[in-house]
Amino acid sequence: MAATKTTEKTTDNLIKGTLPSGIKVEFDPSKSTGHTLMKARKASGGFATVIYIMAEIATFDGEKLPAPEILNYQDHDVIAIEELWESAKPGK
């Protein structure tokens, strides 16, 4: 099962994808630093770190959203967001 209907890497470092619910996600993984990671881990208590990172660097249908709002998405969308983040690893 693919996490998103579409996943696209653009030449300007953007990762674009569409969640199972149809929500369009766009982010630049180079905007996430060690500081972003530590902030996300602290805010999430070590859980849902990827969602907290995405709240910092991604847009959802063109809007920034706080992590608690993203965590209220359906489970398939949350899993798809995590998989979209994973697809942004260099070499993938």
Side-chain angles (χ1 to χ4, degrees):
M1 176 178 103
T4 60
K5 292 180 185 172
T6 60
T7 301
E8 171 188 355
K9 288 186 182 183
T10 66
T11 56
D12 54 354
N13 258 355
L14 290 179
I15 304 292
K16 297 179 181 183
T18 304
L19 303 180
S21 65
I23 295 169
K24 296 194 183 310
V25 179
E26 184 176 299
F27 68 100
D28 179 350
S30 69
K31 289 186 177 181
S32 180
T33 65
H35 293 286
T36 310
L37 175 62
M38 292 298 107
K39 181 179 175 184
R41 283 183 177 162
K42 183 177 180 183
S44 70
F47 299 98
T49 302
V50 168
I51 301 304
Y52 278 78
I53 290 172
M54 293 295 275
E56 293 283 326
I57 67 169
T59 59
F60 299 82
D61 282 342
E63 296 184 31
K64 300 280 284 174
L65 296 176
E69 192 169 327
I70 299 165
L71 288 168
N72 283 327
Y73 281 4
Q74 292 186 356
D75 57 354
H76 289 292
D77 282 345
V78 174
I79 291 167
I81 292 165
E82 291 173 334
E83 290 178 358
L84 190 60
W85 170 256
E86 185 67 22
S87 76
K89 277 186 177 178
K92 284 205 171 197

